Amino acid sequence: MPDKLRIALAEGDGIGPEITTAVLRIFDAAGVMSAIDFVPVEMGQRVFDRDTRGMTDEAIQTVEDCGLIYKGPMGTPIGGGGKSINVSLRKMYGAFANIRHFQALPGVETVYSKAGVDVDFYVVRENIEDTYGGIEHRLTNDVVECKRLISAPGCDQVHRQAFETARRLGIRSVHCGHKANIMKMSDGLFLDRFRRMASEYPEIETGDVIIDALCMNLVLRPQNYRMVVLPNLQGDIVSDLAAGLVGGLGFAPSANIGHHISIFEAVHGTAPDIAGKGLANPTSLLLSGLMMLRHVGLLKQAASIENALIATLESGIHTADFGHHLGTDPASTDTYADTIAANLGKKPTTREPLPESASDKVTFERAERPRHNTLLRTFETTRSVCVGCDIYLDTTISPQELAERLKAICATTRFELTLMSNRGTQVWPTGSVYTEVVDYYRVRFELRDMHDAPSLGQSPIIALLDRIAEKFLVTDFQPLRQYDGIRGYSLAQGQ
Ligand code: NAI
């Protein structure tokens, strides 16, 4: 008999232990335990008292050994050094794609269920990059910044995951949500890499949609979408919007997929207001568990549990947080779970039952542990040359005066002042006196003679920076580079 697959299990805080116990009872009844060994790990609120990571060394070791973790909700201490375990795990283990499935469920009343509109789509969110790097600085008295990093290989891995998931699930259409009309370089890269990846999946229809239009379309006509792939922050917001379409976070499972470690979790919090009262709804954790069973190959068990869940909901069983319109008493967490377990083998009547004939064996293979950090590269080499620099200054003087002083400083150098902007809007050489300014300017210097670019190097730019720093407070500095002759920097608004 082959070894069972080991999966780290963190039951979490608040309602976490109750809903985990409930789900494991259903798994047990469906025969999952003969294929999987759940290995308990210590993580969460109680560990924060001892360790600011909120997880023990043994827990980390177990997760790394297993490559899979199934987790309940965990509290993050407010203030102090403790960081969200959910975010830490995703980033530390490179779980780059967050996949959430939003489907209308029987007994869960929403405006769409009342209107007879079927909602069933996936959101695939990039999980590592974007503003979630949390790279923030206070630049001046009045201005803070958050750096938004988007990388080509970071985009590629989430797009590939989306297309592979769509192919596996038989999803025929994938959309890319973005704001490339404004953030032409960062969202532009995300969209460009989506289009390139799409060419490898010709059987899947693709489209792109600007994020604000996407939000409106999802509310107006959610049935038009089957899968949407998004950068991190936009994906975060759209995920919760989508949860609202199907009745709330209690019905939205979540998988965080990485090359080496994947995390399956409930997306709601620890619900401290109802913890220990037997009121909690285990559906989100259960549905996340079904994503996990499918991920490891236990398709038959996942299908039979999902059929039993739908049959249970069709029979009017519900926990206290939903189903109020049914006029029936809510079931406790345990009764709800036991009813699902008892309904194994039953088939839904309001929708097509899922086929229970598929694989019931573990097919998951643990990727080999890397010996070094993996360097993500696109392997498309470009030739870059420096053509100038943007220097950021902390100053309150007027654009006109600032320009005169900077022109004087660079007069005897190889650079000329070509642009000044404030909060991204051009204020020199042209601009409007109606443009309001703050104490943080971007001033752009470019080579007077672009023929010098190939031999420029960085030293003349650093020398220019040095001159400016003698007269002004420099807060930031960015060399301007062209890649294969294409500008690697944005123009200012109005330029
Ligand atoms: P929450 O999701 O815990 O609760 C919001 C409301 O939803 C409460 O009224 C709660 O009773 C209800 N609710 C949530 N899950 C439920 C379930 N399964 N069944 C029935 N009712 C449910 O959000 P809140 O109050 O903002 O956060 C509480 C704690 O949870 C915080 O410490 C927060 O950091 C943590 N949290 C953890 C998350 C995770 O581990 N993935 C996600 C969100 C919050």
Side-chain angles (χ1 to χ4, degrees):
M1 169 119 177
D3 283 343
K4 290 203 241 172
L5 178 69
R6 294 170 80 237
I7 297 182
L9 175 72
E11 58 179 18
D13 303 311
I15 58 169
E18 307 161 49
I19 57 175
T20 305
T21 308
V23 168
L24 292 187
R25 278 222 297 276
I26 300 169
F27 280 1
D28 195 18
V32 170
M33 301 317 202
S34 62
I36 296 177
D37 244 346
F38 286 100
V39 188
V41 291
E42 253 198 298
M43 285 186 187
Q45 198 84 41
R46 65 208 109 127
V47 186
F48 274 116
D49 302 338
R50 287 177 274 149
D51 193 316
T52 51
R53 294 171 304 176
M55 40 191 151
T56 59
D57 286 335
E58 299 76 53
I60 292 172
Q61 190 60 51
T62 305
V63 174
E64 293 186 359
D65 289 347
C66 295
L68 296 164
I69 170 167
Y70 187 37
K71 62 175 282 297
M74 291 179 190
T76 308
I78 295 170
K83 296 225 176 198
S84 158
I85 297 178
N86 309 310
V87 178
S88 301
L89 281 176
R90 285 175 215 162
K91 300 191 90 157
M92 184 161 80
Y93 292 135
F96 55 83
N98 176 238
I99 305 179
R100 294 195 193 175
H101 184 197
F102 302 96
Q103 59 172 325
L105 293 170
V108 184
E109 196 179 42
T110 67
V111 285
Y112 303 98
S113 66
K114 285 193 213 163
V117 174
D118 191 26
V119 181
D120 183 1
F121 67 96
Y122 286 78
V123 171
V124 182
R125 161 189 170 194
E126 198 288 319
N127 230 359
I128 310 277
E129 306 192 332
D130 200 335
T131 47
Y132 280 66
I135 307 168
E136 299 192 305
H137 300 95
R138 180 169 175 175
L139 299 171
T140 68
N141 190 56
D142 293 341
V143 178
V144 293
E145 77 161 356
C146 176
K147 241 184 198 160
R148 179 170 195 247
L149 300 180
I150 305 279
S151 74
C155 297
D156 287 353
Q157 54 185 10
V158 71
H159 292 321
R160 183 164 303 287
Q161 186 64 45
F163 282 111
E164 285 295 323
T165 306
R167 185 175 266 177
R168 193 163 46 81
L169 299 175
I171 290 175
R172 308 300 300 265
S173 116
V174 180
H175 284 84
C176 176
H178 61 85
K179 193 73 187 173
N181 53 330
I182 303 297
M183 288 165 283
K184 295 181 196 295
M185 296 193 65
S186 50
D187 275 48
L189 180 64
F190 191 79
L191 176 58
D192 177 55
R193 303 307 294 192
F194 173 82
R195 288 181 173 148
R196 288 183 192 214
M197 191 64 70
S199 65
E200 292 183 32
Y201 298 83
E203 79 280 16
I204 296 177
E205 235 179 76
T206 57
D208 73 274
V209 54
I210 293 174
I211 187 74
D212 33 340
L214 173 67
C215 290
M216 185 187 68
N217 293 345
L218 280 176
V219 172
L220 282 177
R221 282 176 288 276
Q223 68 275 25
N224 287 359
Y225 293 93
R226 292 291 290 126
M227 180 177 279
V228 186
V229 53
L230 294 146
N232 205 340
L233 177 61
Q234 296 160 5
D236 190 9
I237 297 165
V238 169
S239 294
D240 275 25
L241 181 149
L245 304 181
V246 296
L249 291 178
F251 302 98
S254 169
N256 297 284
I257 306 295
H259 292 303
H260 296 277
I261 293 174
S262 298
I263 305 156
F264 299 83
E265 59 181 349
V267 284
H268 55 72
T270 59
D273 51 334
I274 57 164
K277 296 183 182 164
L279 298 174
N281 178 358
T283 311
S284 172
L285 187 64
L286 178 63
L287 290 170
S288 307
L290 299 187
M291 290 179 94
M292 179 176 72
L293 297 186
R294 292 185 171 112
H295 185 75
V296 302
L298 300 180
L299 307 180
K300 180 177 186 319
Q301 293 85 336
S304 89
I305 296 172
E306 189 160 334
N307 284 337
L309 166 69
I310 305 295
T312 304
L313 293 169
E314 284 173 348
S315 71
I317 303 283
H318 62 96
T319 47
D321 54 314
F322 73 104
H324 306 118
H325 64 292
L326 298 170
T328 49
D329 285 341
S332 68
T333 310
D334 286 348
T335 308
Y336 181 80
D338 289 341
T339 312
I340 297 170
N343 281 341
L344 284 163
K346 285 206 176 142
K347 303 282 181 286
T349 53
T350 57
R351 65 167 69 172
E352 196 63 34
L354 295 169
E356 296 185 20
S357 53
S359 148
D360 63 351
K361 300 273 178 305
V362 169
T363 53
F364 174 79
E365 279 184 32
R366 175 90 172 82
E368 211 169 290
R369 187 189 189 93
R371 282 195 291 144
H372 310 284
N373 295 68
T374 311
L375 174 66
L376 300 176
R377 292 297 306 266
T378 55
F379 299 108
E380 294 158 16
T381 43
T382 48
R383 202 175 137 269
S384 78
V385 291
C386 232
V387 293
C389 65
D390 278 349
I391 299 177
Y392 294 81
L393 304 177
D394 176 346
T395 176
T396 54
I397 63 178
S398 73
Q400 294 70 25
E401 185 187 343
L402 182 58
E404 289 315 310
R405 291 181 55 186
L406 291 172
K407 279 197 285 182
I409 294 173
C410 71
T412 55
T413 71
R414 295 157 78 181
F415 302 95
E416 60 182 340
L417 181 68
T418 55
L419 161 75
M420 288 180 13
S421 71
N422 197 289
R423 290 186 292 174
T425 304
Q426 178 168 309
V427 291
W428 186 91
T430 58
S432 164
V433 288
Y434 292 104
T435 304
E436 292 175 320
V437 294
V438 296
D439 58 358
Y440 178 67
Y441 283 86
R442 168 176 60 165
V443 300
R444 174 166 293 174
F445 296 93
E446 290 176 86
L447 274 175
R448 290 176 203 281
D449 184 353
M450 282 294 177
H451 291 107
D452 286 352
S455 60
L456 181 67
Q458 295 220 68
S459 305
I461 293 178
I462 303 293
L464 174 68
L465 176 68
D466 201 34
R467 279 186 178 214
I468 306 246
E470 279 173 19
K471 305 284 183 201
F472 291 95
L473 184 58
V474 172
T475 63
D476 204 355
F477 161 75
Q478 195 75 57
L480 301 179
R481 290 162 75 183
Q482 289 186 353
Y483 294 80
D484 286 344
I486 296 170
R487 192 166 33 78
Y489 44 93
S490 64
L491 299 177
Q493 193 75 44
Q495 199 178 4

